[in-house]
Amino acid sequence: MAQETTQQAPPSAPTAPARALLPFILPAVAVGVAASLVFVGVSTVAEQLQRVLWGPLPDALGVGRYSVLWMFVMLVATGVAVGLVVWKIPGRAGPDPATLALSAPVMPPAVLPGLVLATGLMLAGGPSLGPENPIIAVNVGLAAWLGGRLLPRTPGSLWPVLAEAGTIGALFGTPVAAALVISEALAGQPMRGRLWDNVFAPLTAGACGAVTTTLVARPTFDLGLPPMGHPHWRDAVAALVIASAAAVLGMCAVYAFPYVHAGFRRLRHPMLMLPAGGVVLGALAALGGHLTLFKGLSEVGELARDPQGWSAGQFATMTVVKLAALLVAASCGFRGGRIFPAVFVGTALGLCAHALVPAVHPSLGVATGVLGMLLAITRQAWVSLFTAAVLVASPSIIALLCIASLPAWLLVTGRPQMQLRADGTPVR
């Protein structure tokens, strides 16, 4: 019987020999290192510009650094600056960012300088978007262009995958995130051979990107929240409720996305759409305060350093304002990603739950809030789980996150995504 069962079982995919994988190592290493350097370079320049725009400049003008007036002026000015780039620079800084996902199409080299400039200005000026989508697009375009010329015999489809993996590894400081994203993408495609053989080259690029970023910039995602002890049944209930609530709140933004985007598109010109977006973002910043500005990663750290420093109402206000700012910035034409702002939204929501119900551990609230929000905004399940887990140094929370992801995923799967087609209809 055992022999018959063995004979009926489908044969496993053959493993690729080492000689088939070795030629991809050097290209993967080169792309991973280069992707990290592009990310670190753009981020560093943007941070230096941010320090000037939000420090010495308002001080010299006698205006408060984060006064309502200065936040409004800076966000409108950023809309004007990015609008000029989109209008005048060749390539228009790439296609409408509302139509792009984390995986970027290969853009012509002429588009990339404008995209880099628009991204740097956005990061420095304060809109609630992160660097991930445009940096991935830039690295994909560079890798495809240079790789096709330097190593023309290498399959052209390899370069975008290596660039995406290298950039994700650089962004998160670990190749695990890149491996999860690539394996999730491969799950929906016909694949030859074993999964690990297909992930080998992207994982190499992700590892090199992560190591390069770690050596150059030393990033960390651990928020320093107090670790959880042994979980109890009430922790499981809290995880289910918070993750589901975050997913529902995130889906509100997803459903509003095509309507807000259509409203800005009626203005037709980038010099109208982007400054108008800056006006709305300035009004939102006046409501939510300076912590709701920028991509949100350092601001998340500020929240986590003092979870008792704000009331439940203040956390709720920051949650709603940051989510609205993410929605507006993604709709009006700013070039940027949605992962890091969504992390801020989920963190503020989790800390709001802790402030309302002190029995909810802050680490549990933050991790499950981020999980549900990222599932709704990105629809990247593995990245959502991974990001939520690395924010808190509590191994015991991983099982709770897996449990909480189940109802949250049921709430978002099969529904519209925060991505539009060229005709403005949402992607499902």
Side-chain angles (χ1 to χ4, degrees):
M1 180 66 69
Q3 184 177 2
E4 182 180 349
T5 302
T6 303
Q7 291 174 349
Q8 292 176 351
S12 59
T15 302
R19 65 178 179 275
L21 300 178
L22 286 174
F24 299 126
I25 293 180
L26 286 179
V29 171
V31 170
V33 173
S36 173
L37 294 177
V38 170
F39 162 62
V40 172
V42 173
S43 299
T44 301
V45 172
E47 288 169 3
Q48 294 300 321
L49 179 59
Q50 177 185 330
R51 290 192 181 97
V52 173
L53 294 177
W54 296 89
L57 182 57
D59 290 346
L61 296 174
V63 182
R65 294 186 177 189
Y66 292 109
S67 63
V68 172
L69 173 61
W70 189 248
M71 290 191 294
F72 191 85
V73 167
M74 279 305 308
L75 287 162
V76 174
T78 302
V80 172
V82 176
L84 284 170
V85 172
V86 176
W87 181 28
K88 291 296 186 180
I89 299 295
R92 301 177 63 86
D96 183 354
T99 64
L100 300 179
L102 198 62
S103 298
V106 178
M107 298 183 188
V111 175
L112 305 184
L115 182 56
V116 169
L117 182 56
T119 303
L121 291 171
M122 182 279 300
L123 291 172
S128 294
L129 292 173
E132 58 273 18
N133 287 35
I135 296 298
I136 288 174
V138 169
N139 282 332
V140 165
L142 286 174
W145 178 55
L146 292 173
R149 281 155 178 76
L150 298 177
L151 295 173
R153 294 185 179 179
T154 303
S157 59
L158 178 67
W159 300 111
V161 176
L162 294 181
E164 182 179 339
T167 309
I168 293 174
L171 285 163
F172 290 94
T174 170
V176 177
L180 293 175
V181 171
I182 298 300
S183 60
E184 190 170 8
L186 288 173
Q189 301 176 3
M191 182 175 56
R192 296 179 59 185
R194 298 287 182 93
L195 174 63
W196 193 253
D197 292 332
N198 286 271
V199 175
F200 180 84
L203 183 60
T204 302
C208 292
V211 170
T212 303
T213 302
T214 301
L215 293 174
V216 174
R218 299 182 180 180
T220 178
F221 281 82
D222 185 4
L223 297 180
L225 289 166
M228 271 191 66
H230 184 74
H232 300 279
W233 66 266
R234 63 176 180 270
D235 296 320
V237 173
L240 291 169
V241 171
I242 296 170
S244 299
V248 170
L249 182 61
M251 286 305 300
C252 292
V254 172
Y255 277 108
F257 186 49
Y259 300 101
V260 178
H261 179 266
F264 282 109
R265 296 302 293 180
R266 288 193 183 98
L267 298 176
R268 297 184 178 275
H269 198 282
M271 286 303 294
L272 295 176
M273 292 188 296
L274 285 152
V279 170
V280 179
L281 291 175
L284 289 170
L287 290 174
H290 73 278
L291 289 180
T292 59
L293 296 172
F294 307 108
K295 64 182 180 182
L297 195 57
S298 60
E299 290 74 20
V300 163
E302 190 168 342
L303 290 181
R305 280 193 292 272
D306 187 14
Q308 317 301 329
W310 292 268
S311 66
Q314 289 173 313
F315 280 126
T317 299
M318 286 189 283
T319 299
V320 174
V321 168
K322 186 69 172 182
L323 185 59
L326 165 60
L327 174 62
V328 171
S331 300
C332 70
F334 283 111
R335 273 55 179 168
R338 299 153 199 167
I339 292 178
F340 293 119
V343 168
F344 181 97
V345 177
T347 299
L349 179 63
L351 292 176
C352 177
H354 169 67
L356 286 171
V357 184
V360 174
H361 197 283
S363 292
L364 178 67
V366 167
T368 51
V370 169
L371 171 66
M373 187 58 59
L374 284 178
L375 285 174
I377 297 297
T378 70
R379 221 56 59 88
Q380 297 273 348
W382 283 122
V383 169
S384 302
L385 273 168
F386 170 80
T387 305
V390 299
L391 290 174
V392 296
S394 297
S396 61
I397 212 170
I398 296 177
L400 294 175
L401 288 175
C402 292
I403 294 171
S405 69
L406 302 178
W409 183 254
L410 291 177
L411 289 168
V412 304
T413 186
R415 302 185 187 278
Q417 301 182 34
M418 203 170 188
Q419 180 187 356
L420 303 178
R421 299 184 179 92
D423 61 1
T425 58
V427 174
R428 288 183 177 268

